[in-house]
Amino acid sequence: MQSKDQITAGNAARKDRMEGKAAISNTTTSCVFQLLQEAGIKTAFVRKQSDTAFIAAHCEMIPIEWVCRRIATGSFLKRNPGVKEGYKFYPPKIEMFFKDDANNDPQWSEEQIIEAKFCFAGLTIGQTEVDIMSRSTQAIFEILEKAWQPQNCTLVDLKIEFGVNVLTKEIVLADVIDNDSWRLWPAGDRSQQKDKQSYRDLKEVTPEALQMVKRNFEWVSERVELLLKTKSQGRVVVLMGSSSDLSHCEKIKKACATFGIPCELRVTSAHKGPDETLRIKAEYEGDGIPTVFVAVAGRSNGLGPVMSGNTAYPVVNCPPLSADWGTQDVWSSLRLPSGLSCPTTLSPEGAAQFAAQIFGLNNHLVWAKLRSNMLNTWISLKQADKKLRECSLGTNTKTTNFWGEI
């Protein structure tokens, strides 16, 4: 995908050359796609190839622009008279536009997309595919919205496109996401806008005006690289009552790694060595790194309650229950004295996710992985349902043919 030193507005009704825009746009797109891909969003992006180009998987593009809005502004106000600029949408509002420059990209409904019976790379675009693109658009917007918040910058709206990967036959985020694709308002202030709207609003395009627009684009490309980083720290410390619980704890550590969260394993018994348990606790409290403790103890769980009663850090129980005594042992994790608050999850992966949800409150990279997991789970269920219905329809057709022959 090769970027150009060209900027346009109004479906290319206005067009100008802007020296350096290709490199600026390529940097922005590459960083945004890297962020989304590392979070778990399926994209066509492969790698940055040069200052002005990136490598992408071959896709057949779906000619629909998907727009997600948090704040009402721009064309939405023209199409919806009576709505004031600044109106906020909860959840974000999704709109679709058919790519047709001659007719100014008319707005389409879901029904129009389905009735168009598009087919790309052998995939027919039906209700399931429209639903997947709609859900994906919202998730992608929310991930980027969260990523911009540490920069004190409001993502107002976002325009994206999807394609069908010709090899995998999957719908993936494709095309580009650069400063032409969104509205960005530093400190939520429209007058400070840093996106292409500053070009659209020009009454006259002069060299000085283009330099102002270029500075805005550079401002975004410099800060978009910060979206790949976080100043927030965090770790999970798994305390196991016995080394025999190691396999259970390794599952927690593995699940933490999928969220990019460091995880340490320690062995200590609150029953047999409470002083050592509290010493280990103090060790992690003392270095100032936000920590979530996971207590893994079978039989009588003393670890979780003792930790919960002696630290202000979050503690979650994840007991390795046995088939023989599990129904009795679990009560030591559930029935706690007053003043204690350590929730219990039996799944090692659930314990890691619980920790990720805590860290995700202040870490946009962890939050992005959580949001992407939600989306991918939803998509897998949607696709499984479609496959089952197709199998059922095939079976019913065979049955009808059988009785018809008789």
Side-chain angles (χ1 to χ4, degrees), residues 23-24 43 100 113 131 232 253 278 288 354 377:
I24 294 170
T43 79
D100 181 1
I113 299 174
D131 290 346
S232 177
K253 185 174 183 177
L278 296 179
F354 176 83
T377 298

Side-chain angles (χ1 to χ4, degrees), residues 25 36 52 63 80 110 203 231 246 268 339 348 360 379 395-396 406:
S25 295
L36 293 171
T52 60
N80 296 272
E110 287 189 1
K203 293 180 180 179
K231 294 181 180 179
L246 182 59
T268 183
I379 289 175
T395 302
N396 290 339
I406 291 178

Side-chain angles (χ1 to χ4, degrees), residues 18-19 206-216 218:
M18 192 168 85
E19 191 73 31
T206 64
E208 293 76 18
L210 273 179
Q211 277 300 112
M212 178 273 293
V213 174
K214 182 179 178 180
R215 285 194 297 272
N216 285 341
E218 288 172 334

Side-chain angles (χ1 to χ4, degrees), residues 4-53:
K4 300 178 181 179
D5 286 342
Q6 180 176 289
I7 186 168
T8 64
N11 288 326
R14 169 183 283 181
K15 183 187 299 183
D16 289 283
R17 175 177 172 79
M18 192 168 85
E19 191 73 31
K21 181 179 183 292
I24 294 170
S25 295
N26 191 53
T27 294
T28 302
T29 289
S30 297
C31 287
V32 170
F33 273 107
Q34 184 181 340
L35 169 68
L36 293 171
Q37 198 152 278
E38 289 177 357
I41 299 293
K42 293 181 179 179
T43 79
F45 180 81
V46 177
R47 67 180 182 278
K48 187 176 180 180
Q49 173 70 6
S50 67
D51 288 344
T52 60

Side-chain angles (χ1 to χ4, degrees), residues 197-211:
Q197 192 63 39
S198 60
Y199 173 73
R200 297 188 190 101
D201 290 345
L202 292 178
K203 293 180 180 179
E204 181 183 0
V205 180
T206 64
E208 293 76 18
L210 273 179
Q211 277 300 112

Side-chain angles (χ1 to χ4, degrees), residues 1 36 53 61 67 103 108 110 120 129 139 183 185 193 213 223 251 263 265 282 325 348 389:
M1 293 285 288
L36 293 171
M61 296 301 296
V67 176
N103 292 297
W108 271 25
E110 287 189 1
F120 300 101
E129 290 68 34
R183 285 186 176 89
W185 295 353
Q193 62 189 5
V213 174
R223 282 159 181 77
K251 294 177 183 177
C263 179
L265 307 182
W325 292 96
R389 283 186 290 117

Side-chain angles (χ1 to χ4, degrees), residues 68-71 87-94 138 141-142 145 371:
C68 189
R69 304 181 187 275
R70 176 66 78 190
I71 299 174
Y87 182 94
K88 291 192 175 183
F89 303 108
Y90 302 107
K93 190 169 190 66
I94 306 293
Q138 180 175 339
F141 174 86
E142 290 175 351
E145 178 184 44
R371 186 65 182 87

